[in-house]
Amino acid sequence: MDMAAKIELGSQTVQELLGKGKGEQVPEKYIHKVGAPNASSAQLMDIPVIDLGLLLTTSSITAQQLEKLRSALTTWGCFQVINHGMTPEFLDEVREMTKQFFALPVEEKQKYLRQVNDIQGYGNDMVFSEQQTLDWSDRLYLSVYPEEHRKLKFWPQNPKSFSETLDQYTKKLQVVTKTVLEAMARSLNLDVNCFRDLYGEQGKMDARFNFYPPCSRPDVVLGVKPHADGTIITLLLQDKQVEGLQFLKDDQWFRAPIVPEALLINVGDQAETLSNGIFKSPVHRVVTNPDKERISLAAFCIPESDKDIEPFESLVNESTPRLYKKVKNYVGIYFEYYQQGRRPIEAAKI
Ligand SMILES: O=C(O)CCC(=O)C(=O)O
Ligand SMILES: [Fe+2]
């Protein structure tokens, strides 16, 4: 890859921009000239809420739940999960600390500022080209697993309980991830460990805290532009009050419903590849809101970069030919394509 293309251009956070009183006149670089959001017409999507406890046993109820899961992942590429081992109060605590962090004064947050060309830390969208339309969101990106990837200098000291709560939350998510990956395998009648073995015992998990300030031009500005995740799966904690996330299906945008006690889980490109296209890695985006701020916390589960990602043998036969090549270090490929405005999964398609 051309090294020059990798050099990132600096830019300020959306909160800084608003702090300077420039919020009313949204700068050009945030404005989508093609594919304007047109958010108001989106309908609510109809995705199931699945009880995680029921995915684990071998009863007929479980068979029903696995079918619900398979059907959701082949159509929408996502579902919501309850009974995940965390109380609604604990999820509120995670949401609250996210809000508290972004509410800190700019100088305080800047202690955690990410460096140019590093993903970890506090800041804005990574900016790679003058042409890039910027997302109306600020972020804090932290690698959590494996533990040796943690760069603790970016973990906020304020609010005080931040690190401990994040640690507890992601420990629970590792258990949820394992169960979901097993259920995905079972729903396709595959060996129960096949997705899990690729993710590994101590698979990589990155946390991205997203903050979306109100925006005076929701008609032309997006919180996150359309993309699919480069993960195996992503576990998302949504804002409890404010909607914003939308999924693309049959060329139409649909609103993700808020279920306060649930996590929203979506398939990423690596699970689409492994399942030979049976599971869909959905294209999604976040729209902006004129009055209200919104937060979310995405946990990205990513197989180790040395793992070969290719369709499982047993899903390839004469009637269902192989649709994807073998790829390694998909996340590396991901950014290269993303910068060019292309869907990274095209790199894996035969
Ligand atoms: O904020 C959201 O609801 C989703 C964010 C998202 O898609 C991401 O961080 O990849
Ligand atoms: Fe995403």
Side-chain angles (χ1 to χ4, degrees), residues 208 227-229 234 266 284 300:
R208 178 157 110 172
H227 68 284
D229 295 343
T234 302
N266 68 268
H284 52 286
F300 300 121

Side-chain angles (χ1 to χ4, degrees), residues 274-319:
L274 292 165
S275 71
N276 200 28
I278 297 176
F279 292 151
K280 297 281 175 291
S281 170
V283 172
H284 52 286
R285 69 179 187 180
V286 177
V287 297
T288 48
N289 187 298
D291 316 304
K292 296 177 191 144
E293 58 186 47
R294 176 177 184 270
I295 53 111
S296 70
L297 170 53
F300 300 121
C301 303
I302 305 161
E304 289 298 325
S305 55
D306 62 349
K307 291 268 194 323
D308 286 333
I309 302 297
E310 62 182 324
F312 294 127
E313 254 342 289
S314 58
L315 297 177
V316 177
N317 53 48
E318 247 156 54
S319 57

Side-chain angles (χ1 to χ4, degrees), residues 196-208:
R196 234 189 74 202
D197 285 350
L198 279 162
Y199 180 56
E201 261 316 300
Q202 267 279 13
K204 183 168 153 62
M205 184 181 281
D206 288 354
R208 178 157 110 172

Side-chain angles (χ1 to χ4, degrees), residues 22-317:
K22 292 188 185 151
E24 284 312 305
Q25 256 295 30
V26 175
E28 276 293 301
K29 56 187 179 186
Y30 290 93
I31 296 189
H32 287 267
K33 301 198 176 61
V34 281
N38 185 22
S40 50
S41 64
Q43 289 179 17
L44 209 58
M45 58 202 290
D46 176 23
I47 49 167
V49 177
I50 293 179
D51 181 327
L52 196 67
L54 297 179
L55 290 176
L56 286 168
T57 59
T58 47
S59 64
S60 59
I61 301 173
T62 300
Q64 243 176 41
Q65 298 294 309
L66 288 176
E67 175 49 31
K68 225 162 124 177
L69 177 72
R70 198 195 57 80
S71 149
L73 296 187
T74 53
T75 52
W76 292 103
C78 64
F79 65 102
Q80 313 233 34
V81 69
I82 53 166
N83 196 10
H84 39 55
M86 288 174 282
T87 63
E89 293 73 27
F90 181 66
L91 296 184
D92 284 347
E93 214 176 300
V94 177
R95 291 182 179 107
E96 201 45 46
M97 78 175 193
T98 307
K99 288 187 184 159
Q100 282 171 8
F101 172 75
F102 286 103
L104 294 173
V106 171
E107 314 79 72
E108 174 77 17
K109 283 181 297 223
Q110 282 185 339
K111 290 185 190 159
Y112 309 104
L113 204 61
R114 77 175 175 79
Q115 262 105 62
V116 166
N117 284 327
D118 189 4
I119 194 161
Q120 290 203 56
Y122 163 71
N124 61 331
D125 216 2
M126 291 186 91
V127 183
F128 295 103
S129 94
E130 300 279 2
Q131 281 80 45
Q132 185 173 332
T133 306
L134 298 187
D135 290 343
W136 192 259
S137 69
D138 295 337
R139 295 163 187 159
L140 173 66
Y141 195 106
L142 303 171
S143 290
V144 180
Y145 289 112
E147 283 186 43
E148 58 270 23
H149 287 196
R150 294 185 186 189
K151 288 189 180 166
L152 294 175
K153 64 175 180 190
F154 294 120
W155 290 47
Q157 306 273 320
N158 189 358
K160 280 212 159 38
S161 58
F162 190 103
S163 298
E164 197 189 316
T165 308
L166 177 59
D167 190 53
Q168 276 178 22
Y169 177 67
T170 48
K171 263 202 187 84
K172 294 280 189 189
L173 290 191
Q174 288 286 65
V175 182
V176 175
T177 301
K178 175 172 166 279
T179 309
V180 168
L181 292 177
E182 285 180 13
M184 282 164 60
R186 287 172 69 192
S187 80
L188 295 178
N189 292 318
L190 299 172
D191 176 75
V192 61
N193 297 319
C194 64
F195 285 103
R196 234 189 74 202
D197 285 350
L198 279 162
Y199 180 56
E201 261 316 300
Q202 267 279 13
K204 183 168 153 62
M205 184 181 281
D206 288 354
R208 178 157 110 172
F209 297 81
N210 298 303
F211 179 76
Y212 307 96
C215 179
S216 61
R217 294 298 309 277
D219 55 329
V220 283
V221 177
L222 285 169
V224 183
K225 60 179 106 26
H227 68 284
D229 295 343
T231 56
I232 186 160
I233 57 170
T234 302
L235 303 100
L236 182 76
L237 180 66
Q238 288 203 80
D239 195 291
K240 208 169 144 174
Q241 273 102 25
V242 184
E243 277 184 15
L245 177 61
Q246 301 191 340
F247 286 85
L248 189 66
K249 183 170 167 278
D250 305 328
D251 293 325
Q252 274 191 49
W253 290 103
F254 291 85
R255 284 148 48 217
I258 296 176
V259 179
E261 71 278 21
L263 298 172
L264 189 147
I265 298 184
N266 68 268
V267 163
D269 290 351
Q270 301 200 43
E272 177 174 321
T273 303
L274 292 165
S275 71
N276 200 28
I278 297 176
F279 292 151
K280 297 281 175 291
S281 170
V283 172
H284 52 286
R285 69 179 187 180
V286 177
V287 297
T288 48
N289 187 298
D291 316 304
K292 296 177 191 144
E293 58 186 47
R294 176 177 184 270
I295 53 111
S296 70
L297 170 53
F300 300 121
C301 303
I302 305 161
E304 289 298 325
S305 55
D306 62 349
K307 291 268 194 323
D308 286 333
I309 302 297
E310 62 182 324
F312 294 127
E313 254 342 289
S314 58
L315 297 177
V316 177
N317 53 48

